[in-house]
Amino acid sequence: MTVERIFDELGHFKRFQACLYFAAVFQAISCGIHYLASVFLVDTPNFLCSVPGNITDVLYYNLTGHSVEDILPVFKSGTGPLVVQTAEGDQWELSRCRFALRINPEAFSYDFVGNKTVKPCDGNFIYDHTEVQQSIVTDWDLVCEKEWLAKLCQPTFMLGVLIGALVFGDIADRFGRVRILMFTSLCQFGLGVAVAFSGNYYFFVGLRFLLAMVSSGYLVVVFVYVTEFTGNKVRTWTSMHVHAAFAVGIMVVALTGYLVRVWWIYQIILSICTSPFLLFCWKFPETPFYLMAKSRYKDTQTLMDMMARFNGLESRPKVDELLEQAERENGRALMERETEEQPLHSDKKLSILDLFCSWRMAARTCTVWAIWFIGSLGYYVFSLGSVSLGGNQYMNLFLAGAVEIPSYLIGCFAMDRIGRKNTCAPALLLAGVACMLIIVVPADIQVLAIFLSMIGKFAIAIAFGLIYLYTCELYPTIIRTLAVGSGSMMCRVGSIVAPFCVHLADVWVYLPQLIVGILAFIIGLLTLMLPETLGRPLTTTLEQAEGLGRKSSKKKDVLEMS
């Protein structure tokens, strides 16, 4: 509580904190950019096998032309082949991954009942450049037997996100928030540009993996940074709206993808969008929480003086006064605990098994983990799958990002008024219902399918945005870090699974929605069984845990406190 008193005197969100907040969150836009950039980097246009010789005539059912490019925009996979004739008189039937040479054809017609020599594509393909001029798929022919390489790009990126969150979260606690913010921001710019000049697929994937690590590292640390610079009166709003910057990044991806159809130019533009942040991030101060934790009291006093001066305040809190008050409070608390027969903190080291110390706690932990998982899975399935809904793929992705901003506003209001559980559960149920309705919508009503998808994204974003704070309030202080850390791991697992789930549309077009819909509905019902926290301060949770610890001799009773 020592540092929290600073905000009571210097303001919970005044001019100094507001400037830092919006500057730090501005760079968070780049995280949303790089997380979703692969939507257009690995865009696969319509394609067919190429044949030797100059093509003079083309047939596709009743359509005719003189080049494959004339007919390719209307060619549909799974239908009949496209028939071509070369200047040498050879006739070929072309499909996506194989072609057939007609033996002794009598005339150039679409139907042929004679013998054919069928061969797999020899690595030469013709691409439809109407929508996509260049992607990594067209440059490196990641189709047919190499198609899995293109599909592996996003899961590999999400694996980097998982590792980056683990690595940089720990480093930030050791070396400070500002150093990591500066390092990850610089690396995001450098690696983002380097991706554009990767000469082959493996360099591309490797650089994107490193880019994922630093992007995830920035997102983790910036959340802590803005939280430690704002008071508890506004902390819910400031923490929730870091996600809004991520949504802006998705909209930037959609707009840039629409304007730029060459993947390496597209990548460069996305990488420099937030580069102005590099010009002033070195002026960022370290957080008062970190300075106090490292006993850097002189630096803390300098920071408080600067905050007071920038906020136009005359009264400036003194570090030594805060420390004296904290020592008196700690002394009283220590004396109280020494008089008790059973202290709160057991000598036994806490582990993740303590999240399952009883049936009640195990059920709570499993439900919370499920919310983290479905929140991440649904978020990325709706985002990555938006380009396959029909209509304009760029507009669909833009809407998928834009719909998040009102979801966080409404989510914040709902959390404060009806509680965390009563906001999270209906949001998940609404996402599940939206997915089921998408399945029953006739395929020719694309507008309704897109609308339902945006409703699903709106709902899942609410649940995804509030689960961090809800988890903090559900668990007592002694195992709160374990709960949030393990939940975050489940979140990363969901983000890794999401691209594979999206690709299940190749099996059945509505299979991703079916999976997300069923899981969201079931987990939404389970959420109703969680206790309501009503947005109580985290300090109250600690006080309740301490009080219960003095009355109970059983460790699991303390851990079950809600």
Side-chain angles (χ1 to χ4, degrees):
M1 289 297 293
T2 302
V3 185
E4 288 288 354
R5 293 193 185 91
I6 296 177
F7 301 119
D8 292 333
E9 298 191 37
L10 297 179
H12 289 252
F13 193 72
K14 286 190 175 291
R15 184 165 47 189
F16 183 88
Q17 294 101 310
C19 290
L20 282 181
Y21 178 79
F22 288 112
V25 168
F26 172 75
Q27 178 64 10
I29 294 173
S30 65
C31 300
I33 287 173
H34 294 305
Y35 276 47
L36 272 298
S38 66
V39 169
F40 300 123
L41 286 173
V42 299
D43 198 359
T44 303
N46 220 351
F47 69 94
L48 286 169
C49 286
S50 180
V51 296
N54 295 322
I55 296 174
T56 57
D57 297 287
V58 181
L59 281 176
Y60 182 58
Y61 292 105
N62 59 346
L63 298 177
T64 61
H66 296 290
S67 69
V68 175
E69 287 79 4
D70 295 337
I71 308 298
L72 191 53
V74 298
F75 176 80
K76 294 182 179 180
S77 178
T79 61
L82 190 145
V83 182
V84 300
Q85 182 171 254
T86 65
E88 293 76 14
D90 294 331
Q91 294 183 16
W92 302 80
E93 295 181 1
L94 309 182
S95 58
R96 284 199 161 188
C97 296
R98 59 179 56 86
F99 57 95
L101 175 64
R102 292 178 173 178
I103 305 300
N104 299 322
E106 295 181 357
F108 183 55
S109 61
Y110 189 77
D111 296 318
F112 180 73
V113 294
N115 295 324
K116 308 173 189 177
T117 302
V118 181
K119 301 178 181 179
C121 284
D122 56 3
N124 295 317
F125 300 91
I126 303 173
Y127 295 98
D128 177 19
H129 296 290
T130 305
E131 287 290 333
V132 181
Q133 294 182 20
Q134 261 186 279
S135 70
I136 68 166
V137 172
T138 62
D139 277 9
W140 301 323
D141 292 330
L142 303 182
V143 292
C144 297
E145 71 275 1
K146 294 183 179 179
E147 182 182 9
W148 67 274
L149 293 174
K151 292 182 177 180
L152 195 62
C153 287
Q154 189 66 12
T156 305
F157 184 92
M158 288 304 179
L159 180 61
V161 169
L162 169 61
I163 297 175
L166 296 174
V167 171
F168 287 102
D170 180 65
I171 294 177
D173 288 335
R174 296 173 182 268
F175 299 102
R177 286 74 164 108
V178 171
R179 291 181 181 180
I180 302 304
L181 290 181
M182 293 173 61
F183 175 77
T184 53
S185 300
L186 184 62
C187 288
Q188 274 186 307
F189 174 75
L191 290 170
V193 174
V195 167
F197 296 98
S198 52
N200 59 57
Y201 171 82
Y202 299 101
F203 276 118
F204 174 86
V205 171
L207 290 171
R208 285 264 300 167
F209 181 83
L210 297 176
L211 179 59
M213 289 183 61
V214 296
S215 297
S216 174
Y218 184 88
L219 199 60
V220 169
V221 177
V222 77
F223 184 90
V224 176
Y225 187 79
V226 300
T227 300
E228 293 184 351
F229 256 115
T230 53
N232 55 18
K233 291 183 179 179
V234 296
R235 200 163 284 158
T236 298
W237 285 80
T238 55
S239 61
M240 280 282 285
H241 284 84
V242 172
H243 300 289
F246 193 96
V248 172
I250 297 177
M251 292 188 283
V252 171
V253 168
L255 181 61
T256 307
Y258 175 76
L259 297 174
V260 182
R261 307 298 175 89
V262 179
W263 76 268
W264 60 271
I265 300 176
Y266 159 87
Q267 177 66 30
I268 291 175
I269 293 174
L270 291 180
S271 299
I272 65 176
C273 281
T274 58
S275 58
F277 178 80
L278 300 174
L279 301 176
F280 53 84
C281 69
W282 60 277
K283 295 287 289 183
F284 273 30
E286 190 53 82
T287 70
F289 281 85
Y290 183 81
L291 294 175
M292 291 288 284
K294 295 297 182 180
S295 300
R296 294 167 55 181
Y297 303 127
K298 184 177 180 181
D299 293 336
T300 307
Q301 186 64 61
T302 302
L303 175 61
M304 290 193 299
D305 292 342
M306 180 171 60
M307 291 175 64
R309 184 170 59 254
F310 203 86
N311 289 338
L313 302 174
E314 295 183 1
S315 61
R316 301 179 182 182
K318 300 298 182 183
V319 172
D320 52 356
E321 296 177 359
L322 293 174
L323 289 174
E324 290 176 3
Q325 189 174 2
E327 289 175 359
R328 290 194 299 269
E329 292 179 357
N330 291 337
R332 288 196 299 267
L334 182 60
M335 291 177 63
E336 290 176 0
R337 288 175 186 169
E338 287 176 349
T339 61
E340 301 296 333
E341 295 180 359
Q342 177 69 27
L344 169 65
H345 298 285
S346 172
D347 292 336
K348 179 183 175 181
K349 186 177 179 181
L350 294 171
S351 69
I352 199 169
L353 296 177
D354 291 301
L355 297 175
F356 300 88
C357 64
S358 68
W359 288 109
R360 178 186 172 194
M361 184 64 75
R364 178 181 304 183
T365 298
C366 290
T367 302
V368 169
W369 282 6
I371 298 172
W372 280 94
F373 176 81
I374 191 58
S376 180
L377 177 67
Y379 182 91
Y380 287 107
V381 166
F382 281 117
S383 298
L384 297 172
S386 62
V387 296
S388 304
L389 293 172
N392 190 304
Q393 60 178 346
Y394 305 101
M395 179 59 70
N396 292 349
L397 184 61
F398 184 88
L399 291 176
V403 77
E404 287 185 52
I405 297 177
S407 76
Y408 298 132
L409 292 172
I410 294 174
C412 284
F413 278 113
M415 287 165 64
D416 290 340
R417 283 159 178 75
I418 64 175
R420 277 59 165 150
K421 179 184 74 172
N422 294 331
T423 301
C424 185
L428 291 174
L429 293 173
L430 177 59
V433 171
C435 287
M436 296 305 177
L437 290 177
I438 291 174
I439 297 175
V440 300
V441 168
D444 56 340
I445 311 180
Q446 293 180 348
V447 174
L448 184 54
I450 294 171
F451 174 77
L452 290 171
S453 180
M454 295 305 113
I455 292 295
K457 178 66 181 296
F458 172 88
I460 208 73
I462 293 176
F464 194 32
L466 69 82
I467 187 56
Y468 184 96
L469 185 60
Y470 191 25
T471 305
C472 287
E473 295 173 348
L474 274 174
Y475 290 87
T477 302
I478 56 176
I479 56 170
R480 182 174 297 131
T481 302
L482 285 171
V484 174
S486 60
S488 181
M489 288 289 291
M490 293 302 299
C491 168
R492 305 306 173 192
V493 172
S495 64
I496 294 173
V497 173
F500 294 107
C501 186
V502 171
H503 293 316
L504 290 177
D506 296 338
V507 178
W508 183 44
V509 67
Y510 295 120
L511 190 54
Q513 286 84 359
L514 179 64
I515 293 173
V516 173
I518 292 175
L519 290 177
F521 197 84
I522 294 174
I523 296 170
L525 294 176
L526 293 175
T527 304
L528 293 172
M529 294 186 289
L530 290 174
E532 181 56 84
T533 63
L534 299 176
R536 65 180 175 223
L538 301 185
T539 51
T540 303
T541 305
L542 176 58
E543 291 162 5
Q544 291 177 348
E546 290 173 344
L548 186 54
R550 290 192 290 269
K551 297 175 183 179
S552 173
S553 61
K554 294 183 179 180
K555 179 183 173 183
K556 72 175 184 179
D557 291 337
V558 179
L559 297 179
E560 284 183 354
M561 184 281 307
S562 62

